[in-house]
Amino acid sequence: TSNQMWGGRFADQPDAIMEAINASIGFDKRLAAQDIAGSRAHAAMLAATGIISDSDAEAIREGLLTVLSEIEGGSFEFSTALEDIHMNVEARLKAVIGEPAGRLHTGRSRNDQVATDFRLWVRDQIDEAEGSLTRLIHALLAQAEAGAEWVMPGFTHLQTAQPVTWGHHMMAYVEMFGRDLSRVRDARKRMNESPLGAAALAGTGFPIDRHMTAQALGFDAPMANSLDAVSARDFALEFLSVASISAMHLSRFAEELVIWSSAQFRFVTLSDRFSTGSSIMPQKKNPDAAELIRAKIGRIFGANVALMMVMKGLPLAYSKDMQEDKEQVFDAADNWLLALAAMEGMVRDMTANVANLEKAASAGFSTATDLADWLVRETGLPFREAHHVTGALVALAEKTGRDLPDLTLDEMQAVHGNITASVYDVLGVHNSVASRRSYGGTAPDRVREQIARWKEAL
Ligand code: ARG
């Protein structure tokens, strides 16, 4: 017996190796629910346009629900010989309802079918990601609200730069994940058009109604060009690009958590729930979740590059190369969503070590810029000269193993005669952050404004 879908043309069975390289059922079974939703919409449309009878459509639509419940219940037997999810479902439908099953594929091809299923699946992931990003942002907002006033070192080159507030640092990530959120929403708008009814590549002679199936499946419109509809995978690439950018943000934050939770920093304590121990070193508590999040960018960006490479040389319209789109996207979506959830959990659970943060904030001459600004304001020095004077004071403190506020007034006046005792007011880290009130700055009031703005926006 040759293939039941195209046996008319074929006398021989495929070689076992051919079956192994060709079959996608091992992974595209994940499209089952989308495939059945697409087929049900297609069958209803075929009846509404008079292409098949109402009773056949009814039998098909009911039968598909039976098949779906078999798949969801785990009793469905997937067959590699039937290649993919589309033919597995259709073959089972035939077994369940008999002859009307053969009318389902009228005016349709697997090319528009798979494009439709995959779009629906990616759209679901986008909706999931929207929820995950929103929950992560809420977790960050809670941290920011708790620590709007806590001071910590701000870094450039991972060298202490200027004091910032904990809330400000958390809100920096809120901005990043907020842009990721707007990117998934953009991607959803652009991808939400229906390929169904493009058929193999050229459309069909049957009087189908593509607007009807588009609407039934929640698409905004049918895609306007049948060649494009079956060939386009830029929606999947856009999803992978958005996921890659977001995973990059996750990775940067994960890297900070790894550093911050080290014995050398002790900025945060991660919860037991999101840490692991060592099998040999009893003292260890490792930030494995953060490390794994940091690593996920590799496979997500890898998926993006892999699919870009699959697509870049393909002439229109469908080529079997495109079957290689799914595993990459499945893996990237799974891992992105998992990383988002893990980050949310870590952020919710982590405890900032406020005293350590504050101690670190004042180390490393972090208020040197405040001193220079004070010289400009109070003595009228040009900033460049104030920078020079401050540099000399930092050098003096460093040479004698002290911090800026530890210098005596006499010592300071020896460097610049116009320095007065009021300089000590700006050398404290709390004064420093409170003074940075420019829009978007680190002052606690400013941070609270941004927290309020985000809470309103979400
Ligand atoms: N399993 C195929 C895929 O994922 C479905 C489309 C097959 N179409 C074809 N003309 N062979 O791409």
Side-chain angles (χ1 to χ4, degrees):
T1 62
S2 62
N3 185 293
Q4 59 172 294
M5 293 293 168
W6 49 75
R9 168 77 175 74
F10 284 65
D12 248 349
Q13 281 288 353
D15 190 271
I17 299 291
M18 178 58 202
E19 196 172 292
I21 194 172
N22 194 40
S24 55
I25 188 63
F27 48 88
D28 68 14
K29 56 169 84 136
R30 288 187 72 172
L31 300 177
Q34 290 78 9
D35 192 67
I36 285 170
S39 289
R40 281 173 48 81
H42 185 66
M45 180 279 289
L46 290 176
T49 51
I51 299 168
I52 66 173
S53 70
D54 284 345
S55 60
D56 281 351
E58 213 21 66
I60 290 169
R61 285 169 53 79
E62 277 302 309
L64 284 168
L65 288 184
T66 304
V67 175
L68 181 61
S69 67
E70 287 175 6
I71 293 173
E72 284 174 343
S75 64
F76 190 96
E77 275 179 45
F78 293 102
S79 148
T80 313
L82 289 168
E83 260 191 65
D84 58 22
I85 185 64
H86 324 294
M87 298 207 291
N88 268 269
V89 168
E90 196 182 314
R92 181 66 192 144
L93 182 66
K94 179 104 186 283
V96 173
I97 67 167
E99 190 257 313
R103 302 189 190 281
L104 169 59
H105 214 49
T106 315
R108 180 180 84 166
S109 149
R110 275 189 298 158
N111 297 347
D112 58 336
Q113 191 178 353
V114 72
T116 304
D117 296 1
F118 200 27
R119 260 178 209 258
L120 290 172
W121 193 88
V122 170
R123 195 177 70 185
D124 287 347
Q125 302 304 301
I126 286 179
D127 294 343
E128 289 282 322
E130 205 179 320
S132 304
L133 282 162
T134 305
R135 287 189 293 277
L136 173 55
I137 290 172
H138 277 296
L140 288 161
L141 286 171
Q143 284 286 353
E145 213 163 21
E149 307 210 354
W150 303 340
V151 286
M152 64 181 284
F155 298 94
T156 60
H157 315 267
L158 198 54
Q159 306 289 320
T160 303
Q162 296 174 351
V164 295
T165 49
W166 170 265
H168 198 50
H169 201 111
M170 295 300 121
M171 292 305 289
Y173 282 102
V174 167
E175 294 292 329
M176 288 177 247
F177 293 122
R179 284 193 296 276
D180 293 344
L181 190 56
S182 91
R183 265 185 282 270
V184 289
R185 288 173 177 157
D186 282 355
R188 192 188 200 284
K189 263 183 237 148
R190 212 168 357 262
M191 63 109 44
N192 200 31
E193 292 187 346
S194 173
L196 193 57
L201 73 165
T204 174
F206 291 102
I208 59 170
D209 182 350
R210 294 190 56 210
H211 293 272
M212 182 179 165
T213 47
Q215 198 186 8
L217 295 169
F219 288 115
D220 297 326
M223 290 178 78
N225 182 298
S226 63
L227 282 171
D228 176 49
V230 292
S231 305
R233 292 294 182 272
D234 54 322
F235 72 91
L237 284 164
E238 190 168 356
F239 174 75
L240 292 174
S241 307
V242 172
S244 296
I245 293 173
S246 176
M248 175 274 293
H249 289 150
L250 286 168
S251 180
R252 294 183 74 176
F253 194 25
E255 166 69 1
E256 294 199 315
L257 294 180
V258 170
I259 296 173
W260 290 359
S261 61
S262 69
Q264 287 70 23
F265 270 75
R266 284 190 201 282
F267 283 8
V268 296
T269 306
L270 300 176
S271 74
D272 288 357
R273 305 194 322 147
F274 285 94
S275 308
T276 56
S278 158
S279 55
I280 174 167
M281 297 166 282
Q283 86 283 9
K284 293 276 275 184
K285 183 165 161 185
N286 295 325
D288 292 34
E291 294 168 279
L292 288 163
I293 291 169
R294 186 174 62 186
K296 296 286 186 199
I297 175 74
R299 61 200 293 165
I300 296 171
F301 195 66
N304 193 9
V305 173
L307 183 54
M308 199 67 100
M309 291 300 114
V310 166
M311 295 307 298
K312 76 175 187 61
L314 297 186
L316 303 189
Y318 180 86
S319 298
K320 198 62 174 264
D321 309 49
M322 289 160 76
Q323 180 165 285
E324 288 287 311
D325 56 2
K326 283 172 272 306
E327 280 171 293
Q328 300 294 343
V329 175
F330 291 166
D331 184 75
D334 290 345
N335 283 286
W336 181 31
L337 293 176
L338 184 59
L340 284 168
M343 184 58 93
E344 184 209 335
M346 275 199 302
V347 170
R348 276 199 194 289
D349 276 15
M350 74 183 174
T351 315
N353 302 327
V354 181
N356 276 347
L357 287 172
E358 177 154 350
K359 209 166 106 205
S362 33
F365 314 108
S366 67
T367 53
T369 315
D370 300 270
L371 173 52
D373 288 350
W374 183 90
L375 287 165
V376 170
R377 240 179 7 252
E378 304 297 326
T379 72
L381 274 187
F383 182 77
R384 287 292 164 214
E385 269 177 61
H387 185 287
H388 193 79
V389 169
T390 307
L393 289 167
V394 167
L396 174 64
E398 191 172 40
K399 206 168 63 193
T400 55
R402 287 174 297 166
D403 209 345
L404 281 176
D406 305 327
L407 296 177
T408 66
L409 189 56
D410 283 348
E411 285 173 314
M412 293 209 214
Q413 286 172 341
V415 176
H416 195 275
N418 291 350
I419 296 180
T420 65
S422 78
V423 76
Y424 289 100
D425 293 344
V426 303
L427 295 182
V429 287
H430 287 282
N431 293 328
S432 170
V433 296
S435 73
R436 295 217 152 73
R437 297 184 39 79
S438 53
Y439 183 82
T442 199
D445 296 351
R446 289 304 196 197
V447 171
R448 285 200 189 89
E449 280 168 19
Q450 294 303 326
I451 295 171
R453 182 175 69 81
W454 270 101
K455 282 184 150 175
E456 174 118 3
L458 284 174

